[in-house]
Amino acid sequence: MSKRDTYAITASRSDDWWALTISGPGLKRSYHTQVKRLEQAEEMARDLVATMLDVDVSEIDAGFDLTVADDEVATELVATLVTRLAATLVKQKAAEATQATAADLARRGYVHRDIGYLLGMSHQAVGKLLNEAERGTAASADDAATRSQAVSSLKDMFGRLAMTHDAEALLKSYLLDAAEGDPMDLKLDRLRALGEQLSRRGRPKLTGA
């Protein structure tokens, strides 16, 4: 089975359960099942697809895009994830600016305690920043691996929100590309632009392409 195959899962609340509708390559029609928690949806869908295709579940090497049927909730999810990624990038920019300013003040002859006082941080934290600057490493409020993992995790969340081709193109243009090699100011501008578009037009319909 091609890794490019993707199955759509549409989830709707049904009392204390989630009703799932699964459709995709090789399935003659949409099939229905249910789970108690959304974290179980992909596993349940994978088992169902394997059963319908009469193959072992280990052979289902495909993606599963989950959509919450309630468009208002889906719009809120997208807006929240955009905000969280923006916050991650802002945090990174703030850390880099703090390190640069601390290094500049040190070059001007300011002692660690005075730099800490001006930047609102401990002199020990100033020392750490300056050591990182000397080693040529980027400063961060958390370590770089944690920050990278946070961005990757948010991207994965976006990937689980099934969208039309137009909506996906919009997201990639303003978000995924912005999270890569662009300058920080451009990243944030793109995120703000995406947020404004989402608030003006709402989330595009999930059906059609």
Side-chain angles (χ1 to χ4, degrees):
M1 178 171 292
S2 172
K3 290 185 178 180
R4 297 180 181 177
D5 286 342
T6 300
Y7 292 88
I9 307 172
T10 302
S12 305
R13 288 295 296 165
S14 178
D15 295 326
D16 293 332
W17 293 79
W18 285 96
L20 306 180
T21 301
I22 296 98
S23 60
L27 300 181
K28 296 180 180 179
R29 59 178 178 83
S30 296
Y31 290 89
H32 305 279
T33 185
Q34 63 181 10
V35 291
K36 193 71 173 178
R37 298 184 302 277
L38 283 179
E39 63 188 26
Q40 302 166 331
E42 182 174 334
E43 181 181 359
M44 179 66 74
R46 192 179 299 275
D47 287 343
L48 186 148
V49 169
T51 299
M52 293 300 104
L53 299 184
D54 194 23
V55 298
D56 189 85
V57 68
S58 63
E59 298 180 44
I60 306 299
D61 188 7
F64 289 83
D65 288 339
L66 187 144
T67 299
V68 177
D70 187 329
D71 279 352
E72 290 186 3
V73 171
T75 300
E76 185 176 357
L77 285 172
V78 171
T80 297
L81 291 173
V82 168
T83 301
R84 287 175 60 192
L85 182 52
T88 299
L89 296 176
V90 168
K91 189 175 183 180
Q92 178 182 346
K93 182 177 182 180
E96 291 169 354
T98 300
Q99 183 189 63
T101 299
D104 180 61
L105 293 176
R107 284 192 295 269
R108 294 172 183 270
Y110 288 55
V111 299
H112 289 193
R113 289 187 181 277
D114 288 340
I115 294 173
Y117 177 80
L118 292 172
L119 292 176
M121 56 197 308
S122 70
H123 67 90
Q124 293 94 335
V126 170
K128 180 180 178 181
L129 281 180
L130 295 178
N131 287 335
E132 289 173 339
E134 289 177 2
R135 294 197 305 268
T137 58
S140 67
D142 304 301
D143 63 48
T146 299
R147 187 173 63 246
S148 176
Q149 183 178 8
V151 172
S152 177
S153 177
L154 288 170
K155 287 185 183 181
D156 290 343
M157 291 180 191
F158 274 108
R160 292 199 295 269
L161 297 174
M163 292 176 284
T164 66
H165 292 320
D166 287 343
E168 185 175 357
L170 178 69
L171 183 63
K172 287 181 178 179
S173 173
Y174 285 101
L175 180 59
L176 299 188
D177 290 345
E180 300 300 335
D182 290 334
M184 185 64 67
D185 288 339
L186 181 56
K187 294 178 185 180
L188 297 177
D189 286 344
R190 287 183 171 181
L191 286 167
R192 294 188 187 100
L194 175 59
E196 290 173 1
Q197 289 202 27
L198 287 171
S199 63
R200 285 200 306 268
R201 58 191 274 195
R203 187 173 187 272
K205 292 182 179 179
L206 300 177
T207 58

